[in-house]
Amino acid sequence: MMSGGGYSALDDPKASGSVPAATGPDPQTIKFTDSNLQTFPPSDSKGKISGAYRPPTDADDTFSSKAGGGGGGGRGGGAGSDDAAQGGWFRMFSVAAYKPYFDVDTSDVVERIWESVFPFRGNFTEKTSEKPDLYGPFWTCTTLIFVAASIATFVTYLSHKWHKKEWTYDINLVTWSAGLFYGYVTFVPLGLYVILKYFSAPAGLVQLWCLYGYSLFIFIPASLLSIVPIEIFRWVIAGVAGFMSATFVAVNLRAHILNSGERWFLIVAGIFLLQLGLAVLLKLYLFTITV
């Protein structure tokens, strides 16, 4: 009851208008487990892309050593066994299986492009053996497709205007270039991989794709120079680009297939001539102008 302007305690807890005091054991305290969802990337992740990042493994990392060398086979075999245990052949249909091959810096791509411009060094496969990539080859091939098709279209346009003839755009230049370069850089290394395996020569499929992809870079500046309206000059440019690209591939593969016996020369010669054939095909179809 109230007395003297203050408050007094109620003696009867059941009196009308009073609130009974809470009785019983103390309520349990809810504890949340620690989580790293609010940190990005999570604290237990490693690498640039995936949490379990490690250098990509190839089908046969003996390709990283020269003829007769197989020092990395044990390591590659262990990694391959782990991958096979995780997903087997079905893993190749997942995006995560290809993430390591696109985990490269701009400096890595620029360095590998620079190596392709100097074909006689022959150390490209050693520098990319631990970490071959598909990012550079993909964008090199894609850039070449659009550059070659665009330059060929522009050259054809100028030629028609020079002769005062009607000109129409040929969309087949883009589709044909895409089929040529994407098909070449995909199926030629694949066929070479099968041949090298047949002769028991060291071969890594991803490394072959990487090598062939970067070997096409020299055709980009060659396509830009083909804008000069001099036919003999275009043939010289195509020949030099084809020779440099073929030499780059042949020299880098030669050191790794010497253990295939006397047939190694035939394999290297076939690789060299096939790359020259690509240059001739590029010149005849894209940069031979007829009005």
Side-chain angles (χ1 to χ4, degrees):
M1 305 300 290
M2 300 180 60
S3 62
Y7 294 94
S8 61
L10 292 176
D11 297 332
D12 186 4
K14 296 184 179 181
S16 176
S18 64
V19 178
T23 60
D26 295 336
Q28 296 181 355
T29 303
I30 301 176
K31 295 183 179 181
F32 294 93
T33 58
D34 295 334
S35 174
N36 61 355
L37 294 178
Q38 296 180 353
T39 59
F40 185 84
S43 58
D44 60 345
S45 64
K46 300 178 181 179
K48 301 175 184 176
I49 295 182
S50 60
Y53 170 77
R54 58 185 175 186
T57 58
D58 208 344
D60 184 359
D61 60 1
T62 55
F63 190 79
S64 61
S65 60
K66 293 190 176 182
R75 179 183 58 187
S81 300
D82 295 340
D83 295 339
Q86 293 176 4
W89 281 99
F90 293 100
R91 186 175 180 273
M92 66 179 297
F93 298 104
S94 64
V95 177
Y98 299 94
K99 281 184 178 181
Y101 302 118
F102 291 85
D103 186 24
V104 289
D105 297 327
T106 302
S107 58
D108 298 330
V109 176
V110 172
E111 181 182 1
R112 295 175 182 188
I113 289 175
W114 189 247
E115 287 291 332
S116 69
V117 181
F118 298 94
F120 293 100
R121 291 180 177 178
N123 57 356
F124 181 85
T125 51
E126 279 75 17
K127 290 186 176 182
T128 60
S129 60
E130 294 295 330
K131 192 178 179 182
D133 74 286
L134 298 178
Y135 178 88
F138 171 77
W139 283 112
T140 298
C141 192
T142 303
T143 303
L144 177 59
I145 289 170
F146 286 99
V147 168
S150 301
I151 296 299
T153 301
F154 183 66
V155 169
T156 305
Y157 171 78
L158 292 181
S159 181
H160 280 73
K161 290 300 181 181
W162 179 263
H163 293 86
K164 297 181 180 180
K165 299 290 184 179
E166 184 180 356
W167 175 80
T168 56
Y169 176 71
D170 187 8
I171 189 61
N172 291 327
L173 289 176
V174 177
T175 56
W176 190 90
S177 299
L180 173 65
F181 294 117
Y182 280 146
Y184 184 87
V185 82
T186 300
F187 294 107
V188 171
L190 182 61
L192 179 60
Y193 174 78
V194 174
I195 294 174
L196 294 179
K197 280 296 184 181
Y198 176 79
F199 290 109
S200 300
L205 181 56
V206 176
Q207 287 183 320
L208 289 176
W209 277 331
C210 180
L211 177 66
Y212 269 86
Y214 282 105
S215 71
L216 298 182
F217 172 79
I218 194 63
F219 290 109
I220 297 178
S223 300
L224 295 174
L225 292 176
S226 296
I227 198 174
V228 178
I230 302 175
E231 189 66 12
I232 186 63
F233 179 78
R234 290 172 179 166
W235 273 111
V236 170
I237 292 298
V240 171
F243 176 80
M244 293 179 64
S245 179
T247 303
F248 172 72
V249 176
V251 169
N252 279 281
L253 288 179
R254 175 184 175 275
H256 300 276
I257 60 179
L258 289 177
N259 63 342
S260 58
E262 298 178 354
R263 298 182 180 88
W264 74 266
F265 180 78
L266 297 177
I267 298 175
V268 173
I271 293 170
F272 187 88
L273 294 177
L274 194 61
Q275 202 81 354
L276 282 181
L278 176 65
V280 173
L281 196 61
L282 178 64
K283 168 62 182 71
L284 290 177
Y285 188 84
L286 294 178
F287 299 110
T288 298
I289 309 302
T290 57
V291 179

